[in-house]
Amino acid sequence: LFGINRIIVPSLECADKIINVVGHRAVLEKIIFRELGVEITSFRLEKTSPLIGVRLRDFPDTSLLSKIRFSGIIRRGKFMIPRGETPFATDDEVFVSGLSESVIELIEWASGEKSTGSGERVIIGGATAIGKRLAVELLSSGYDVRIVEESQDKCEKILESLGKNLMVLNGDTTDHEILDEAGINGAPAYISVMEDDENNVMGCMLAKKRGAKKTITIVNKSDYSALFSSLEMIDCFFSPSVVGVNSALKFLEEEKSRVIALVHRANAFVFELKVEKKSPVCGMRIADCGNLPEMIFAFVCRNGVMVPAVGELCLEEGDKVATISDFDTVKKLEPYFYFERGATL
């Protein structure tokens, strides 16, 4: 009646983003292209990782490298493009792209840890709308879910709604005794989704101190994002407003270039550029595109199928190229993809 095709609820979309990173301790963020079975995932390198000190050109598993692409690194808060001579360092946040099974294979090898799943304990701070959505999804996946909520009324309502498989503790998430009772020590994940950002920060810091392996939170005030990214005791954070924008971007009309997603942890974006018939890059191997501005092809979509962006791949008319970059770099890239703007390689 009103011409509305889709309603986006940022809080519920945010819950989905959180669920995507619960399953592995090292994973920080996932940007998923479900129709292609592809993802761009960032993960943190610990000091024990076999990647530490290794240059990209010396990556030991060439068969795996042919299936994935290292698409970016956040080092000391700054986004950078990895090159052949770039050595990996402790605490690097590495972006890797490819088919989901290849990406998780790389992350499990680089982190030395397997993904978690059914039976694992997850503690949620706050019986909010996001907390309820998380509980529903995680319970259906077989997780042992426990919610800590200060309001007795909210505790009773969520128990009535979700049933006996859920443990709910009435108490303050900044009270270590309540977290200990919930089983925080050794818990694979603590997720704070309260409406007050200060309580989310304090809850995560206390949970990490009491033995949680991974802490995840939401940031309600977008101005706090830089602060959250600097706190070592918070492993992942998501802004409902940014998630809402990302969801809306998926449904914009297709253009020659467009933003697909905003990256939560850096001033960077995932862009899609389309190759035209007479564009300078059409017919060129990726390895021969050395004169392009500072960027890396994350992957190529050709006829609805993901193609790894390896050096020998020749770009064809209609290919859609995904890259992580900033607006200034993409503006410099556009003339190489769109004939009418003119550029030579």
Side-chain angles (χ1 to χ4, degrees):
L1 177 62
F2 297 104
I4 298 174
N5 295 320
R6 182 180 176 92
I7 296 175
I8 296 170
V9 183
S11 61
L12 301 185
E13 301 279 348
C14 198
D16 292 339
K17 291 286 286 187
I18 293 171
I19 290 168
N20 288 338
V21 303
V22 166
H24 198 285
R25 190 170 72 87
V27 171
L28 303 174
E29 182 176 2
K30 287 189 177 187
I31 299 169
I32 298 177
F33 305 81
R34 298 193 187 280
E35 67 278 6
L36 298 175
V38 175
E39 60 187 67
I40 299 176
T41 296
S42 67
F43 69 101
R44 180 177 288 113
L45 289 182
E46 304 288 346
K47 62 182 178 180
T48 55
S49 173
L51 270 182
I52 301 300
V54 175
R55 296 181 305 172
L56 184 54
R57 68 167 64 255
D58 298 326
F59 186 79
D61 191 338
T62 54
S63 63
L64 182 55
L65 196 59
S66 68
K67 295 184 286 186
I68 57 96
R69 290 284 280 177
F70 290 99
S71 307
I73 295 174
I74 298 176
R75 181 173 292 172
R76 294 186 289 275
K78 294 184 177 181
F79 182 81
M80 58 181 286
I81 298 295
R83 297 300 182 190
E85 296 300 321
T86 303
F88 293 98
T90 302
D91 292 329
D92 276 355
E93 298 179 18
V94 180
F95 289 83
V96 61
S97 56
L99 294 175
S100 296
E101 58 267 27
S102 299
V103 169
I104 195 60
E105 180 184 351
L106 179 279
I107 292 173
E108 290 184 347
W109 173 82
S111 66
E113 297 184 17
K114 296 293 184 182
S115 300
T116 60
S118 181
E120 297 284 358
R121 185 166 64 257
V122 176
I123 299 170
I124 300 171
T128 58
I130 297 179
K132 182 177 179 180
R133 172 64 174 263
L134 287 170
V136 169
E137 296 297 328
L138 292 170
L139 284 169
S140 68
S141 296
Y143 282 90
D144 173 10
V145 181
R146 305 173 184 190
I147 291 181
V148 178
E149 169 56 53
E150 193 168 12
S151 165
Q152 183 174 346
D153 182 56
K154 288 184 177 180
C155 288
E156 293 173 354
K157 286 181 178 179
I158 201 165
L159 269 177
E160 291 174 2
S161 174
L162 300 185
K164 61 182 181 180
N165 291 329
L166 176 68
M167 177 188 289
V168 179
L169 295 91
N170 183 204
D172 186 350
T173 57
T174 60
D175 182 342
H176 71 86
E177 292 184 354
I178 287 292
L179 291 182
D180 289 344
E181 185 179 348
I184 197 66
N185 187 25
Y190 171 79
I191 309 169
S192 189
V193 291
M194 291 178 287
E195 295 173 355
D196 185 274
D197 284 330
E198 288 79 3
N199 285 341
N200 286 328
V201 170
M202 294 304 296
C204 284
M205 294 178 73
L206 182 59
K208 181 71 82 168
K209 187 175 181 181
R210 304 300 292 184
K213 295 181 180 179
K214 183 173 187 176
T215 56
I216 307 168
T217 187
I218 61 170
V219 51
N220 296 290
K221 298 177 182 177
S222 56
D223 291 345
Y224 284 8
S225 294
L227 170 65
F228 277 44
S229 64
S230 67
L231 297 175
E232 293 183 0
M233 288 190 169
I234 295 179
D235 296 305
C236 302
F237 65 89
F238 297 98
S239 164
S241 60
V242 172
V243 171
V245 170
N246 282 350
S247 298
L249 288 171
K250 298 175 185 177
F251 301 98
L252 294 178
E253 291 298 320
E254 183 175 337
E255 299 290 344
K256 293 175 180 177
S257 68
R258 61 172 179 151
V259 179
I260 300 175
L262 289 70
V263 177
H264 275 79
R265 304 182 65 84
N267 183 27
F269 307 84
V270 179
F271 290 90
E272 178 187 274
L273 300 118
K274 190 173 181 180
V275 179
E276 293 187 343
K277 183 176 182 179
K278 294 183 179 180
S279 65
V281 298
C282 189
M284 292 190 65
R285 297 189 313 155
I286 289 177
D288 297 330
C289 295
N291 290 335
L292 292 179
E294 190 78 357
M295 58 87 72
I296 283 182
F297 296 143
F299 64 87
V300 175
C301 176
R302 178 174 294 169
N303 299 321
V305 178
M306 192 283 287
V307 181
V310 295
E312 295 302 312
L313 180 69
C314 286
L315 296 175
E316 299 178 358
E317 178 187 1
D319 283 352
K320 297 175 183 177
V321 177
T323 183
I324 305 177
S325 194
D326 56 38
F327 277 107
D328 290 340
T329 301
V330 168
K331 287 300 180 185
K332 296 175 184 177
L333 281 170
E334 286 181 343
Y336 296 94
F337 285 81
Y338 314 134
F339 175 71
E340 66 269 21
R341 300 194 182 182
T344 57
L345 282 169

